[in-house]
Amino acid sequence: MKRVFSGVQPTGNLHLGNYLGALKQFVELQEDHECIYCIVDEHAITVPQDPEQLRKHILDVAALYMAIGIDPKKSIIFVQSQVPGHAELGWILCCNSYTGELSRMTQFKAKSGGKESVGTGLLTYPVLMAADILLYDTDIVPVGNDQKQHIELTRDIAIRVNNKYGDTFVVPDGRFMKSGARIMALDDPESKMSKSAENEHSRISLLDEDSKIKKSIMRATTDSDGEIRFDPENKPGVSNLLNIYSALSGKTVDEILANQQWRGYGDLKKELVAVTQEAMAPIKRNFEEIRYSEELIRVLNDGAERANAIAEPVMARVRDRFGMGIKL
Ligand code: TYM
């Protein structure tokens, strides 16, 4: 069975972009893969976090993982900082990567641009991500498009180490959704939907009330020509709505367009509101049941133990290849 690893940062309520780009894949893959899903709190602290909020968000993401259908009997769910191998391998890989390649990462440029003082963690963040993946001999990494460059870097580092020290790491592949890989902001379809955008109507959070879902979608930016067609370049707003519709319903955009009788963008939006509310309802219900349960803590502790049992022999192999420590 192929091994899958992916992670999500506990930095706020997850949104439709996270769900359609990554989380939906997590659920699909667990049926016939060995899946490991992480809550990456060591990544979250690359920017300042309020400790109380961070702890809350860790448990929120864990509960959301289960609420969307990740089954802890099939998949491992755990918190990154509970497995020491991530930080240890992160350091070893830092010593095998270059500041040049790291400063070329688009996300680093976006997050550090215009700032006088930039945290070192922001620069080395993709190396920690490479460590997360390589620590488990991962074959497949399901993510959204915005992580493509980080997966390429992970592959480069793995190949570099393998060439220098002999076969050490499995070289992983990214896995991307057809219609959900890049969900754009509702208020600005030129930027991706994100947890941190100021306008709350730029995104749909997985726990949004029905009234909020309706407001955000009905206000979504479109264009003035009134024609409903899929054309991301010239009609990014309408195309984003069609994309979301397609990813949520499992129908292709062509199928959706062939069967519609909309008279304008308002009708498309109303239907999308209904489709979104229906898809989010069970997630919210499940979340309420799980979030404050003792089971959640049990799942995370058990997940950390299982993750560590896979990571430790890989770390032993890495230390051995590099000649670190003493041989027992
Ligand atoms: P994060 O927490 O920003 O996002 C979690 C996942 O959601 C995807 N995503 C999107 N997909 C489509 N449209 C969007 N607008 C959108 N926004 C976010 C992301 O691509 C991601 O798959 N660096 C990662 C976390 C990470 C990781 C890893 C992932 C750390 N270590 C190892 C995989 C493997 C991140 O910041 O994701």
Side-chain angles (χ1 to χ4, degrees), residues 73-126:
K73 288 196 196 80
K74 294 182 186 155
S75 304
I76 296 177
I77 301 176
F78 78 105
V79 182
Q80 186 182 28
S81 60
Q82 286 196 276
V83 176
H86 292 261
E88 184 182 356
L89 185 57
W91 172 251
I92 293 173
L93 299 185
C94 265
C95 301
N96 286 274
S97 57
Y98 300 104
T99 52
E101 62 189 351
L102 300 184
S103 54
R104 278 195 297 274
M105 293 288 123
T106 346
Q107 279 204 351
F108 172 71
K109 284 198 235 164
K111 288 195 176 171
S112 62
K115 295 210 177 86
E116 235 174 61
S117 140
V118 176
T120 312
L122 266 188
L123 180 70
T124 55
Y125 171 113

Side-chain angles (χ1 to χ4, degrees), residues 5-11 14-23 25-26 38 40 43 80 86 107 111 125-126 128-130 132-133 141-148 150-151 176 180-185 191-195:
F5 180 94
S6 196
V8 171
Q9 289 197 62
T11 46
L14 303 191
H15 52 69
L16 265 188
N18 300 128
Y19 180 60
L20 298 175
L23 297 168
Q25 304 195 62
F26 295 6
C38 186
V40 292
H43 281 83
Q80 186 182 28
H86 292 261
Q107 279 204 351
K111 288 195 176 171
Y125 171 113
L128 181 59
M129 178 163 163
D132 300 340
I133 297 167
V141 190
V143 278
N145 257 358
D146 62 336
Q147 299 299 319
K148 223 173 208 168
H150 294 161
I151 305 284
F176 308 92
R182 193 169 173 79
I183 301 296
M184 308 309 281
S191 342
K192 68 170 186 177
M193 187 177 283
S194 88
K195 293 181 204 130

Side-chain angles (χ1 to χ4, degrees), residues 15-25 143-144 176-183 206 243-249 280:
H15 52 69
L16 265 188
N18 300 128
Y19 180 60
L20 298 175
L23 297 168
K24 259 189 110 191
Q25 304 195 62
V143 278
F176 308 92
M177 293 299 259
K178 260 208 186 90
S179 43
R182 193 169 173 79
I183 301 296
L206 299 187
N243 223 355
I244 294 174
Y245 193 138
S246 162
L248 279 176
S249 65
M280 297 300 111

Side-chain angles (χ1 to χ4, degrees), residues 76-324:
I76 296 177
I77 301 176
F78 78 105
V79 182
Q80 186 182 28
S81 60
Q82 286 196 276
V83 176
H86 292 261
E88 184 182 356
L89 185 57
W91 172 251
I92 293 173
L93 299 185
C94 265
C95 301
N96 286 274
S97 57
Y98 300 104
T99 52
E101 62 189 351
L102 300 184
S103 54
R104 278 195 297 274
M105 293 288 123
T106 346
Q107 279 204 351
F108 172 71
K109 284 198 235 164
K111 288 195 176 171
S112 62
K115 295 210 177 86
E116 235 174 61
S117 140
V118 176
T120 312
L122 266 188
L123 180 70
T124 55
Y125 171 113
V127 183
L128 181 59
M129 178 163 163
D132 300 340
I133 297 167
L134 301 180
L135 184 59
Y136 297 94
D137 286 342
T138 303
D139 300 296
I140 302 167
V141 190
V143 278
N145 257 358
D146 62 336
Q147 299 299 319
K148 223 173 208 168
Q149 211 184 16
H150 294 161
I151 305 284
E152 273 313 306
L153 179 80
T154 302
R155 291 172 55 87
D156 289 348
I157 293 177
I159 293 168
R160 184 179 302 153
V161 169
N162 287 350
N163 285 341
K164 196 163 171 197
Y165 294 92
D167 249 3
T168 309
F169 294 125
V170 171
V171 181
D173 285 306
R175 185 179 189 271
F176 308 92
M177 293 299 259
K178 260 208 186 90
S179 43
R182 193 169 173 79
I183 301 296
M184 308 309 281
L186 295 174
D187 63 337
D188 170 18
E190 306 289 341
S191 342
K192 68 170 186 177
M193 187 177 283
S194 88
K195 293 181 204 130
S196 55
E198 241 166 64
N199 179 5
E200 60 161 350
H201 293 293
S202 68
R203 63 184 161 264
I204 307 274
S205 292
L206 299 187
L207 300 175
D208 274 351
E209 300 286 335
D210 280 355
S211 56
K212 157 72 174 57
I213 293 176
K214 183 170 176 196
K215 231 184 224 164
S216 302
I217 293 179
M218 294 312 288
R219 293 182 177 190
T221 302
T222 47
D223 53 54
S224 55
D225 82 10
E227 194 192 335
I228 299 175
R229 73 190 146 82
F230 188 72
D231 179 354
E233 202 158 302
N234 300 306
K235 297 174 70 69
V238 175
S239 305
N240 189 37
L241 297 180
L242 287 169
N243 223 355
I244 294 174
Y245 193 138
S246 162
L248 279 176
S249 65
K251 295 179 192 153
T252 64
V253 169
D254 285 344
E255 281 166 356
I256 294 169
L257 288 177
N259 292 319
Q260 56 83 22
Q261 292 180 336
W262 301 320
R263 279 158 306 164
Y265 297 154
D267 288 349
L268 158 63
K269 286 179 173 179
K270 273 188 211 148
E271 205 168 306
L272 182 58
V273 168
V275 169
T276 310
Q277 288 173 340
E278 198 182 313
M280 297 300 111
I283 298 178
K284 284 186 277 187
R285 250 195 332 266
N286 295 340
F287 179 84
E288 291 307 322
E289 250 177 52
I290 298 157
R291 172 61 174 84
Y292 298 98
S293 67
E294 280 174 23
E295 193 201 345
L296 184 65
I297 307 300
R298 263 200 308 275
V299 163
L300 292 176
N301 282 331
D302 173 63
E305 222 170 274
R306 287 158 69 197
N308 205 40
I310 301 174
E312 201 28 61
V314 179
M315 275 320 299
R317 185 201 310 150
V318 174
R319 290 184 210 108
D320 185 55
R321 294 279 197 277
F322 279 76
M324 298 170 80

